[in-house]
Amino acid sequence: MHVKNPDNATFTKELNTTRNTGLYIILTTDEDDSRPVYISGNFNNWRTQDKEFMMEKIGNSLYHYKFPHDFDYPVELLYKFTKGDWSDVEIDKNGDRTENRFTKNHTGIQKEHVARWRKNWLPFKQSFLPQVQLISDEFEIPQLNKTRKIWALLPHDYDNSSESYPVLYLQDAQNLFNEAAEFGNWKIDKKLAVMSEYKIGKIIIIAVEHADEERIKEYNVGKTVLGKGEGRKYIRFVTDTLKPFVDSNFRTKTEREFTGIGGSSMGGLVSIFGGLKNPEVFGKLMIFSPSLWVVPELKISPKKANLSDAKVYLYAGGDESPSLIQYVQKFQKDLIESEFVKNKSNINLSINRRGNHSETYWSDEFPIAIEWLFFQSK
């Protein structure tokens, strides 16, 4: 139903015709911008960019959505409004979290109002920030005869809980939450805070710092256009040394379906290698802007057929390089054809046509990837 002028008699007449044909939601807001508005709730696994539930803008600060007449409603409909992500969710006039909206009505008109919206995860609550622990500033890497600084980001209430948590191993720790990082950072601490506040799910992040001037060599896998790399040894360190240490010293869910690896650029490339070569260890891959040009003929051969149910989140920006999107799309296709991932729905390809090769865009993608990889069943 399209309404050109929400104030005229035609609009009122059309409203009246919807009363017995499905629930009709009308939303007004005090703050408005060009971002679309979505409804997320217990009817769609709280997905935040579900195009089936994108509201239509019909006037200044005015939106509407009509559920199909044959919609399968839960007994009680729980929902919130977002601008496409939990980083852009509705908040009250004071900047505080709003509770879930609810209704048991399956027909008629539901009028709602949003005072403000989060933007780029601000504001966040200090009390929900993860506990950041320095595991060691000289953690031994026997495979490379080196040491490295490694961090653990634990859920904010880790010390007051007996829960065990999934784990994601991330590369390039210097750029993940360090406010003094030269090229900016992903702000994962702030984003984990908002995710925790909204009960999206709790996770442990193990952040491994890169090797500075030897970063590319360490993340390079085998013999490539960049020469001979040490990526194989580095991944053996993560799987054979670091993960056992983490599982022994923190409350983790140790199984592969709760264990992920990820990174961006060369960090994304070495994470791809880690996931492909060790499917029995990593069931989740978070790959942002991977440097696939380094190994243009990357071979994918799953080690065990019954381990081919990995979930892979791929991201690429259209303003990074002329060929990146093509490389990532080919990698997605190869994952499916090789049956490393048998179910196509287990690969999420996100492309931001305006995205460039920077922490800013990886930061925006991080919470969406975490939610999809670890906390969505579909």
Side-chain angles (χ1 to χ4, degrees):
M1 181 178 64
H2 179 67
V3 181
K4 293 182 179 179
N5 185 351
D7 298 319
N8 63 20
T10 302
F11 179 66
T12 303
K13 182 178 179 180
E14 292 197 33
L15 285 184
N16 290 333
T17 64
T18 66
R19 292 185 182 277
N20 297 313
T21 59
L23 184 64
Y24 185 51
I25 296 180
I26 302 172
L27 173 68
T28 56
T29 178
D30 293 336
E31 290 184 349
D32 204 10
D33 53 44
S34 61
R35 293 174 294 170
V37 175
Y38 297 84
I39 307 175
S40 305
N42 61 346
F43 51 86
N44 73 338
N45 282 325
W46 296 94
R47 290 191 292 272
T48 55
Q49 289 190 23
D50 192 334
K51 292 183 179 179
E52 291 185 20
F53 299 98
M54 185 170 73
M55 305 189 78
E56 182 183 6
K57 187 171 186 177
I58 53 175
N60 292 331
S61 302
L62 180 63
Y63 298 80
H64 73 168
Y65 180 83
K66 185 176 183 299
F67 284 90
H69 71 279
D70 58 350
F71 188 74
D72 185 16
Y73 294 91
V75 174
E76 183 176 50
L77 196 73
L78 302 176
Y79 57 100
K80 270 191 170 73
F81 300 104
T82 82
K83 289 277 189 173
D85 181 42
W86 296 114
S87 64
D88 302 308
V89 73
E90 60 171 281
I91 49 180
D92 67 19
K93 64 181 181 180
N94 298 315
D96 293 325
R97 172 179 183 257
T98 60
E99 296 302 320
N100 289 337
R101 299 173 187 268
F102 61 90
T103 182
K104 292 185 178 180
N105 296 330
H106 297 169
T107 61
I109 299 168
Q110 186 87 8
K111 294 183 178 180
E112 302 284 15
H113 181 77
V114 170
R116 296 174 57 192
W117 304 90
R118 287 189 189 275
K119 193 166 186 178
N120 196 25
W121 295 91
L122 298 175
F124 66 92
K125 297 290 189 297
Q126 294 279 343
S127 59
F128 286 98
L129 283 170
Q131 299 180 32
V132 180
Q133 289 189 12
L134 177 62
I135 293 179
S136 173
D137 57 4
E138 291 186 336
F139 198 101
E140 291 189 8
I141 306 178
Q143 294 82 355
L144 294 168
N145 194 28
K146 299 177 182 176
T147 62
R148 191 65 42 76
K149 186 178 288 187
I150 299 178
W151 305 82
L153 281 73
L154 308 174
H156 72 282
D157 57 352
Y158 182 88
D159 291 339
N160 299 319
S161 167
S162 59
E163 287 184 66
S164 294
Y165 304 95
V167 183
L168 175 64
Y169 293 83
L170 281 182
Q171 321 318 317
D172 293 317
Q174 291 97 322
N175 304 326
L176 297 179
F177 55 92
N178 177 11
E179 293 296 338
E182 182 179 359
F183 301 106
N185 73 90
W186 293 25
K187 302 183 185 298
I188 66 170
D189 51 342
K190 299 176 179 62
K191 304 200 170 184
L192 289 168
V194 177
M195 293 176 70
S196 184
E197 181 183 359
Y198 281 90
K199 299 181 173 63
I200 292 173
K202 297 176 183 177
I203 188 170
I204 293 174
I205 303 291
I206 302 299
V208 185
E209 293 203 352
H210 61 66
D212 294 320
E213 65 275 5
E214 293 188 340
R215 172 181 179 270
I216 291 179
K217 182 179 180 181
E218 192 168 282
Y219 288 168
N220 185 24
V221 179
K223 293 182 180 179
T224 71
V225 298
L226 296 177
K228 187 175 181 180
E230 297 180 329
R232 297 177 188 275
K233 294 179 181 179
Y234 175 79
I235 287 299
R236 287 214 315 271
F237 158 67
V238 177
T239 57
D240 299 349
T241 303
L242 182 57
K243 185 179 187 300
F245 175 89
V246 170
D247 289 339
S248 296
N249 288 274
F250 299 98
R251 297 194 309 275
T252 66
K253 293 182 177 180
T254 60
E255 298 85 356
R256 64 179 296 275
E257 59 264 36
F258 302 111
T259 306
I261 188 169
S264 62
S265 193
M266 287 296 293
L269 180 67
V270 78
S271 297
I272 285 175
F273 175 81
L276 295 181
K277 296 298 183 183
N278 301 278
E280 74 283 0
V281 177
F282 303 111
K284 318 284 187 186
L285 278 67
M286 191 186 80
I287 311 300
F288 293 171
S289 308
S291 301
L292 288 166
W293 60 272
V294 174
V295 279
E297 299 302 323
L298 179 65
K299 294 182 180 180
I300 302 173
S301 178
K303 295 171 65 175
K304 300 177 182 178
N306 64 344
L307 292 176
S308 59
D309 59 341
K311 290 188 74 174
V312 183
Y313 191 100
L314 299 172
Y315 165 78
D319 196 28
E320 297 194 54
S321 75
S323 57
L324 176 63
I325 291 177
Q326 287 79 9
Y327 275 121
V328 172
Q329 288 173 331
K330 181 181 182 299
F331 178 58
Q332 177 193 32
K333 180 181 177 182
D334 291 346
L335 284 173
I336 297 169
E337 290 182 350
S338 69
E339 295 194 344
F340 184 84
V341 177
K342 289 185 178 180
N343 187 340
K344 288 190 291 185
S345 66
N346 275 0
I347 304 178
N348 190 99
L349 175 58
S350 173
I351 295 175
N352 183 340
R353 293 290 175 180
R354 295 175 296 177
N356 58 40
H357 200 76
S358 72
E359 279 69 19
T360 297
Y361 289 95
W362 301 328
S363 174
D364 290 345
E365 208 69 23
F366 171 77
I368 305 171
I370 292 291
E371 181 181 5
W372 185 83
L373 284 169
F374 290 92
F375 304 114
Q376 285 186 4
S377 58
K378 295 184 179 180

